[in-house]
Amino acid sequence: MKPFRRVSSPVAVLDRPDVDTDQIIPKQFLKRIERTGFGQFLFFDWRLDAAGQPRPEFELNDPACAGAKILIAGANFGCGSSREHAAWALQDYGFEVVIAPSFGDIFATNCLKIGLVTIVLPPAELRALIDSIDGAAVVEVDLERQLIVDPAGRELPFEFDPFQRECLLNGLDDIARSLAHEDALQEYEASHPPRVNTTALAAG
């Protein structure tokens, strides 16, 4: 997992509540087994029309959102089914941070596991941040300092779970955290031989 410390980027604002994972990545695109390739289908039904052309009224199709690595969303973002593909699609599209008043619990956990940062801001502070954004204005998110810096330079502190923060700063997913104890795991395995040899069958 790639470490995350800070990012400065234009912002995409999707100011809608209760955006569920079915809207983030529709079910017909869940046939791939890799984590990559889902970005092109992100918000498919909202982003593209029946002919596959961008809908100009959809927020992410605004030219000011081009290259945005930060998504600001409404309350309860990522609710609904537990599909991991929703987090994969957002990251594959280019987002590194999602900021919202609240998230679906399983969605937020899936994001953490791949290094996609989810930040909770109180509604009033989120509204002030949205109001400060004009066009392709740049916002900075600094996980080390736990600060969001708006286009006017105003700093917004945010809360973040210390354990999750440490994992993101150091790029530690579940496997990497386990491998940090590799010596202890090998020592345990060496001192506890298996009761049954599962690697070969006895010659008959």
Side-chain angles (χ1 to χ4, degrees):
M1 188 170 81
K2 179 183 174 182
F4 179 90
R5 297 187 180 278
R6 67 184 63 83
V7 65
S8 296
S9 165
V11 175
V13 178
L14 187 63
D15 192 13
R16 308 185 187 194
D18 303 317
V19 174
D20 65 38
T21 53
D22 299 319
Q23 293 159 332
I24 296 173
I25 181 72
K27 62 183 182 301
Q28 65 266 33
F29 303 116
L30 307 186
K31 301 173 183 178
R32 301 175 61 90
I33 59 173
E34 305 90 351
R35 288 185 180 181
T36 57
F38 291 99
Q40 61 186 312
F41 306 121
L42 181 71
F43 299 120
F44 187 84
D45 296 328
W46 289 348
R47 195 163 51 85
L48 305 174
D49 62 21
Q53 298 302 309
R55 299 180 188 271
E57 70 276 11
F58 181 57
E59 293 90 329
L60 268 66
N61 290 333
D62 186 333
C65 295
K69 297 180 180 180
I70 301 168
L71 174 65
I72 296 179
N76 201 27
F77 185 79
C79 57
S81 68
S82 61
R83 63 188 64 170
E84 297 172 286
H85 310 73
W88 299 350
L90 286 160
Q91 190 177 64
D92 193 60
Y93 189 81
F95 290 116
E96 297 182 18
V97 177
V98 185
I99 306 171
S102 57
F103 293 93
D105 288 341
I106 297 176
F107 170 79
T109 298
N110 288 338
C111 288
L112 172 67
K113 290 181 180 295
I114 63 169
L116 179 61
V117 181
T118 54
I119 296 173
V120 173
L121 273 189
E125 293 185 16
L126 189 75
R127 175 53 52 190
L129 178 60
I130 292 173
D131 291 344
S132 74
I133 297 167
D134 182 18
V138 170
V139 169
E140 179 183 354
V141 174
D142 189 327
L143 185 59
E144 287 186 301
R145 298 191 298 153
Q146 292 183 220
L147 288 176
I148 298 169
V149 184
D150 74 9
R154 186 171 64 100
E155 296 183 343
L156 295 172
F158 59 86
E159 299 291 329
F160 210 89
D161 179 85
F163 173 74
Q164 295 180 357
R165 176 177 173 273
E166 197 66 22
C167 290
L168 289 166
L169 289 174
N170 293 286
L172 299 176
D173 58 14
D174 291 344
I175 294 174
R177 294 205 317 274
S178 297
L179 290 177
H181 305 283
E182 185 174 9
D183 291 345
L185 291 170
Q186 290 181 348
E187 181 180 345
Y188 177 87
E189 291 293 334
S191 63
H192 294 75
R195 296 179 180 180
V196 177
N197 183 0
T198 61
T199 60
L201 295 175

